Amino acid sequence: MSDPIDTKQTFCPPAATEGREASDLQTSPARRAFLKTTGLSALGAMIGMTIPFERNLPAGLIPVALAQDSGEELMGGKQGLTLLSDRPLNVETPAHLLDDDVTPYERMFVRMNGLVPQTALDMNAEGWTLVIDGEVDTPLELTIDELKSRFENVTRPLVIECGGNGRAFFQPGTSGNQWTTGAVGCPEWTGVRLADVLNAAGVKDTAVYTGHYGNDVHLSGDDEQEVISRGVPIEKALEEDGIIAWAMNGQPVPALHGFPLRLVIPGYPGSVAQKYLTRIAVRNQVHDGEKMGGYSYRLPAYPVAPGTEVPEEDMEILTEMPVKSLITFPETGASVTPGQASEVRGHAWAGNGDVQAVHVSIDFGQTWTEAQLDPPPNRFAWQRWRANVTLPQHGYYEVWARATDMNGVSQPPVSPGWNPRGYGNNIQHRIALIAA
Ligand SMILES: Nc1nc2c(c(=O)[nH]1)N[C@H]1C(S)=C(S)[C@@H](COP(=O)(O)O)O[C@H]1N2
Ligand SMILES: [Mo]
């Protein structure tokens, strides 16, 4: 069969296609199985319609409609975001598009480890239940209506940040999605407290950890294979911040973000925030689900030199995310008038609670000015910061931002703690600013 598509124009960058030959997937059993189970593929969901000849689309080839980024309906409405890979779907948000206090759907990053399940593509929650079992007195099986009526409903903005956000800045590079700064967002979630639901089931003294399950489809199309199943220490699950959400920004949780139910457990890597949530098992040991072991979401137990091969048994689970900030205004490369005060602003957040301070520098970190920092609307929402900068004369400047958490720990000017899979990089965010 001849290839009708101009591959030179539309292949996505090497990071997303590495190790995959276009021809490999064209006719593979996995790909056929996938097409059978999912009428509207994740790629189709982004374009907003089915792709009848999708089986002919070489892996890694970005449809022109997406590459040109020319309409509202493209990227599932996520216009202007960056597609890192299409199978699984991974999309990040440029910093200047994260300026909203509450991140709208259109600007929320997407991290899929597998394929969006059919129930989500159809937005069909009929018969959906959530099972709570394991080390509990009374296992529960709750419908969404029961969740809504039995427990207090709460609405709060909460940050979700992928553990691999910032991976692209590590040297040497590490495998995985090359997220820069945009695998983070702070939508407003509505649901019930995870702790209330666990307490209703009665957590036994033997409880150690949670294990989370969803119904998304493995990339192989094999129903038996788990996509991702992570968990948190029971103490974290019983804090009052985590929620089981059915709405994001006042709408049913969208297909790409976990319809009809998802966990949001702020402060920890986004991977614990199970989408398409069907079950929470309370475990009497550290959870051993998919992506809990090996090098997934784990860090060396001790500092290592960049590039070191670390034995698997020396890896520890990544828990609290480090303090971080973003400059969301202006866009990098913007021009301002020399000698005049210009506003720069952004958000700051920390995995262990609130942020104490944000400082900015316009002289490559020689001197720092404290920014005005708003309190968060609730714990684990990101906090707005603003500062005025005056660039003394014509030329090229950078604005650097540095947040400090409640323990006095600040973001470093270079990538911290290299680790084999590139997690937890909270290097200071920098933008270019031109005085002209
Ligand atoms: N069921 C399911 N839940 C999941 C994932 C997934 O692949 N499947 N990815 C996790 C990861 S690694 C992250 S960072 C967040 C991303 O949430 P978002 O796609 O809504 O932004 O979802 C988490 N929950
Ligand atoms: Mo993630």
Side-chain angles (χ1 to χ4, degrees):
M1 199 172 67
S2 68
D3 181 356
I5 302 159
D6 175 5
T7 51
K8 279 185 246 41
Q9 227 181 21
T10 46
F11 261 111
C12 57
T17 51
E18 215 165 27
R20 293 193 317 189
E21 280 299 316
S23 55
D24 280 359
L25 283 181
Q26 221 160 326
T27 53
S28 77
R31 189 164 170 92
R32 281 198 302 273
F34 161 68
L35 285 166
K36 242 184 271 162
T37 56
T38 313
L40 191 62
S41 68
L43 201 55
M46 287 178 75
I47 292 183
M49 62 193 91
T50 51
I51 307 173
F53 290 118
E54 187 171 354
R55 82 176 77 89
N56 298 337
L57 193 62
L61 188 76
I62 300 174
V64 164
L66 289 178
Q68 288 178 343
D69 197 22
S70 56
E72 241 315 282
E73 67 286 352
L74 306 181
M75 301 264 276
K78 292 176 185 283
Q79 207 186 342
L81 274 58
T82 309
L83 184 67
L84 297 188
S85 76
D86 60 17
R87 191 182 308 264
L89 184 60
N90 290 294
V91 181
E92 78 164 321
T93 314
H96 71 280
L97 294 182
L98 284 172
D99 194 42
D100 304 86
D101 289 328
V102 171
T103 308
Y105 168 77
E106 291 76 13
R107 294 170 172 193
M108 182 63 181
F109 81 101
V110 180
R111 196 317 183 216
M112 294 296 303
N113 286 270
L115 304 170
V116 179
Q118 193 63 46
T119 42
L121 293 170
D122 295 342
M123 297 295 273
N124 177 9
E126 224 180 276
W128 194 276
T129 58
L130 172 64
V131 170
I132 312 290
D133 61 6
E135 303 298 306
V136 293
D137 300 326
T138 322
L140 303 175
E141 180 166 2
L142 301 160
T143 65
I144 297 175
D145 283 342
E146 283 168 335
L147 269 182
K148 290 181 178 174
S149 59
R150 271 189 65 178
F151 303 95
E152 189 190 335
N153 292 195
V154 292
T155 294
R156 44 173 84 138
L158 295 170
V159 170
I160 293 185
E161 180 179 16
C162 184
N165 196 23
R167 177 178 292 131
F169 305 120
F170 278 116
Q171 282 180 15
T174 58
S175 67
N177 287 303
Q178 295 303 301
W179 305 110
T180 61
T181 57
V184 63
C186 186
E188 188 177 77
W189 304 97
T190 299
V192 294
R193 289 184 197 90
L194 169 61
D196 289 353
V197 176
L198 293 176
N199 286 327
V203 175
K204 290 186 177 170
D205 291 345
T206 47
V208 171
Y209 226 85
T210 58
H212 313 152
Y213 298 88
N215 81 331
D216 39 345
V217 184
H218 195 268
L219 288 175
S220 65
D222 178 357
D223 293 342
E224 304 300 303
Q225 285 197 64
E226 239 166 41
V227 175
I228 185 170
S229 174
R230 304 204 63 244
V232 296
I234 194 68
E235 300 76 30
K236 177 69 182 176
L238 291 174
E239 282 180 1
E240 65 113 28
D241 309 291
I243 63 178
I244 301 168
W246 55 77
M248 181 177 121
N249 299 335
Q251 300 291 323
V253 173
L256 298 178
H257 298 294
F259 179 90
L261 281 185
R262 83 168 300 165
L263 274 170
V264 184
I265 305 180
Y268 273 41
S271 52
V272 303
Q274 193 82 31
K275 305 194 271 193
Y276 322 106
L277 182 70
T278 54
R279 175 179 172 221
I280 301 170
V282 178
R283 307 286 315 263
N284 62 6
Q285 58 176 71
V286 173
H287 187 45
D288 51 5
E290 188 61 31
K291 308 217 167 177
M292 284 299 300
Y295 294 94
S296 296
Y297 306 103
R298 302 214 298 168
L299 302 174
Y302 43 83
V304 300
T308 303
E309 260 181 60
V310 185
E312 227 176 273
E313 60 271 23
D314 290 355
M315 301 295 288
E316 285 179 347
I317 299 170
L318 166 62
T319 57
E320 272 173 13
M321 293 287 285
V323 63
K324 204 157 177 178
S325 59
L326 270 182
I327 304 164
T328 58
F329 182 87
E331 184 176 354
T332 188
S335 290
V336 300
T337 311
Q340 266 181 31
S342 314
E343 182 176 82
V344 297
R345 60 173 187 259
H347 310 287
W349 64 98
N352 59 12
D354 297 354
V355 172
Q356 187 180 107
V358 173
H359 291 80
V360 295
S361 175
I362 56 164
D363 56 9
F364 306 110
Q366 289 300 296
T367 63
W368 294 87
T369 310
E370 186 161 3
Q372 177 206 314
L373 178 67
D374 292 350
N378 48 253
R379 199 164 175 241
F380 292 120
W382 61 21
Q383 294 172 241
R384 168 67 71 186
W385 63 264
R386 296 168 198 277
N388 283 317
V389 297
T390 303
L391 307 186
Q393 62 185 71
H394 286 84
Y396 174 88
Y397 297 81
E398 290 186 4
V399 180
W400 295 7
R402 183 189 74 195
T404 303
D405 72 14
M406 286 300 178
N407 297 330
V409 176
S410 296
Q411 292 179 257
V414 293
S415 288
W418 185 96
N419 59 93
R421 287 284 168 84
Y423 297 115
N425 193 339
N426 68 336
I427 185 174
Q428 289 160 16
H429 186 210
R430 302 155 52 190
I431 64 160
L433 202 53
I434 315 300

